[in-house]
Amino acid sequence: MKVLVVGNGGREHALAWKLLQSKQIEQVVCAPGNGGTAGIKGCQNLPLAVDDFEGISQFAQNEGISLVVVGPEVPLAKGITDYLNSKGLKVFGPTRAGAQIEASKAWAKALMQEAGIPTAQAAVFTEAAAAKSYVKAQGAPIVVKADGLAAGKGVIVAETVEQAQAAIDAMFGGEFGSAGKFVVIEECLIGEEVSVLALTDGLTIRPLQPAQDHKRIGEGDTGENTGGMGAYAPAPIATKEVMARIQKEVLEKAIAALKAKGIDYRGVLYAGLMMTPQGDFKVLEFNCRFGDPETQVVLPLLETPLEELILACVEQRLAEMPPIAWKQGAAVTVVAASGGYPGAYEKGKVITGIEQAEALGTTVFHAGTNLNQEQLLTDGGRVLNVTAAGETFDQALAQAYAGIQCIHFEGMYYRRDIGHRVR
Ligand SMILES: Nc1ncnc2c1ncn2[C@@H]1O[C@H](COP(=O)(O)OP(=O)(O)O)[C@@H](O)[C@H]1O
Ligand SMILES: [Mg+2]
């Protein structure tokens, strides 16, 4: 079987790596892929943009691709699945209608409210004056969210009413493009976040191991938000009891609500939840795809062949699959980032030490690299995900850190406290 993976981050490297562990998979093509996917045996990069639907479709049809797995949200929101399905291709990832659950926070909030899914109280606005007077009446802290996709930069957790009002002005002022045409203002929740990625065929939904990531750039979870500086799974805070409740109160309700809207959702439904200190939870958001970097710690623990689960979703027979099997233990990933990230940073720095890190038993997923005439260079803010799985969390953590210490590129930065909530 030949599979095409759409995307170029650490998530897609992990997907390609996991798929190629199965005997059923003879080849993986990554469009466009990165320096890491270029280096896996059996994997080939295809220099096409993630929204070049025609190019991807033609390649898939000509080369006998039997399954397309879409990594990022942008092509899903633009309708890659609708397009490829119309050409007779099998796609893992929701249609454009389903992707609204991530691509419009107002739409997702309405769905949660209709379905009775626990979430922060919220109101949606289409102009600044009403939004500002709402904020004034509610007081701070309060959360201001641009409706549309904003690459993780569209949410402001405002400590003061003035901050919230400035965020409202920025959003309606066009700073987030069309993402800011609607603004969602919601109650500020306090607690610990957890990511529950679930696989669904539109009828049945099954959670993967819960994960936690570290979004802030600085140690102690301080400083600016990033795409994620590290992650681990399973997240001890999401106990068996909590996961059973999330299944009933969030995942099954969401799938039923999507189905009631006539949406045939086949792919990943990812719930980002806030666990309250009382042991309750509320949904902060849904994503319509695998999380990055959560995927890099969930997939190493997965024992059931990934393509079997994905095909069961695409062919709508997930209910017939045996329970998902997991390795015992835990996985940890630590992100090596370019100096300056999430602000301005330089690219094109020579990367060394990956072989040494892997000789210690880690797997190094590439997030932002490219291969230039056999030389591996940095090509993004988040560069590498140094990942380890172990029988215990402590073993995995120690191994990931031993691995990252082997790696070098000019300006490299990583957090030294990944996993601090677990201890
Ligand atoms: N209601 C809320 N209360 C407190 N923090 C929130 C709330 N909503 C979002 N956040 C914080 O902002 C981050 C980003 O918000 P999220 O809704 O996940 O949007 P996105 O991932 O699209 O940027 C969350 O991970 C969380 O840290
Ligand atoms: Mg989020």
Side-chain angles (χ1 to χ4, degrees), residues 270-319:
Y270 159 155
L273 302 126
M274 187 75 93
M275 304 288 310
T276 67
Q278 295 76 35
D280 270 328
F281 50 79
K282 286 184 177 169
V283 175
L284 293 175
E285 66 160 349
F286 284 113
N287 293 319
C288 64
R289 35 83 194 173
F290 284 105
D292 188 342
E294 291 94 332
T295 302
Q296 289 88 306
V297 288
V298 170
L299 293 185
L301 299 174
L302 180 66
E303 228 156 50
T304 306
L306 178 62
E307 88 286 354
E308 286 183 17
L309 291 167
I310 287 181
L311 280 174
C313 289
V314 173
E315 294 165 0
Q316 209 162 60
R317 46 179 179 74
L318 188 58

Side-chain angles (χ1 to χ4, degrees), residues 119-160:
T119 185
Q121 262 185 35
V124 179
F125 296 90
T126 52
E127 50 103 17
K132 284 163 134 177
S133 54
Y134 178 80
V135 160
K136 219 167 168 187
Q138 296 288 312
I142 194 156
V143 182
V144 182
K145 300 186 171 186
D147 177 61
L149 296 180
K153 295 185 170 32
V155 172
I156 308 291
V157 180
E159 300 299 334
T160 64

Side-chain angles (χ1 to χ4, degrees), residues 36-348:
T37 54
I40 321 179
K41 197 167 162 277
C43 188
Q44 171 202 324
N45 285 350
L46 176 68
L48 291 178
V50 298
D51 59 359
D52 182 356
F53 299 171
E54 205 184 315
I56 289 171
S57 159
Q58 270 171 10
F59 178 89
Q61 287 173 299
N62 294 341
E63 300 296 321
I65 296 286
S66 23
L67 172 69
V68 179
V69 178
V70 185
E73 62 278 14
V74 168
L76 291 167
K78 286 188 176 171
I80 190 171
T81 300
D82 311 65
Y83 185 88
L84 297 179
N85 280 341
S86 78
K87 304 288 176 191
L89 293 161
K90 280 187 184 166
V91 185
F92 182 72
T95 58
R96 184 179 175 152
Q100 287 177 96
I101 203 158
E102 173 164 2
S104 168
K105 291 189 189 296
W107 192 88
K109 184 61 79 173
L111 180 122
M112 287 190 255
Q113 287 166 344
E114 284 160 30
I117 294 170
T119 185
Q121 262 185 35
V124 179
F125 296 90
T126 52
E127 50 103 17
K132 284 163 134 177
S133 54
Y134 178 80
V135 160
K136 219 167 168 187
Q138 296 288 312
I142 194 156
V143 182
V144 182
K145 300 186 171 186
D147 177 61
L149 296 180
K153 295 185 170 32
V155 172
I156 308 291
V157 180
E159 300 299 334
T160 64
V161 168
E162 291 68 36
Q163 260 176 22
Q165 295 191 328
I168 290 167
D169 280 332
M171 285 177 194
F172 284 118
E175 205 167 289
F176 296 87
S178 58
K181 259 171 67 184
F182 297 90
V183 169
V184 180
I185 299 185
E186 66 180 43
E187 155 198 20
C188 187
L189 302 172
I190 292 170
E192 230 179 89
E193 289 174 53
V194 62
S195 304
V196 176
L197 282 58
L199 304 179
T200 181
D201 63 1
L203 303 174
T204 301
I205 185 157
R206 300 232 182 126
L208 302 177
Q209 292 280 21
Q212 279 185 305
D213 71 342
H214 291 272
K215 294 187 204 308
R216 305 295 195 89
I217 187 72
E219 276 150 30
D221 298 313
T222 55
E224 277 187 84
N225 256 325
T226 71
M229 295 302 294
Y232 47 91
I237 192 169
T239 58
K240 268 211 167 94
E241 293 69 37
V242 167
M243 286 300 286
R245 284 188 55 201
I246 290 172
Q247 171 71 11
K248 287 262 164 301
E249 297 169 35
V250 176
L251 301 177
E252 287 177 4
K253 282 185 179 174
I255 283 305
L258 288 163
K259 192 162 169 268
K261 288 187 186 297
I263 294 172
D264 184 358
Y265 192 109
R266 306 182 194 194
V268 173
L269 182 67
Y270 159 155
L273 302 126
M274 187 75 93
M275 304 288 310
T276 67
Q278 295 76 35
D280 270 328
F281 50 79
K282 286 184 177 169
V283 175
L284 293 175
E285 66 160 349
F286 284 113
N287 293 319
C288 64
R289 35 83 194 173
F290 284 105
D292 188 342
E294 291 94 332
T295 302
Q296 289 88 306
V297 288
V298 170
L299 293 185
L301 299 174
L302 180 66
E303 228 156 50
T304 306
L306 178 62
E307 88 286 354
E308 286 183 17
L309 291 167
I310 287 181
L311 280 174
C313 289
V314 173
E315 294 165 0
Q316 209 162 60
R317 46 179 179 74
L318 188 58
E320 295 158 30
M321 289 289 286
I324 300 176
W326 295 100
K327 291 191 176 76
Q328 289 299 312
V332 175
T333 191
V334 182
V335 172
S338 296
Y341 173 79
Y345 56 84
E346 291 175 11
K347 293 183 184 178

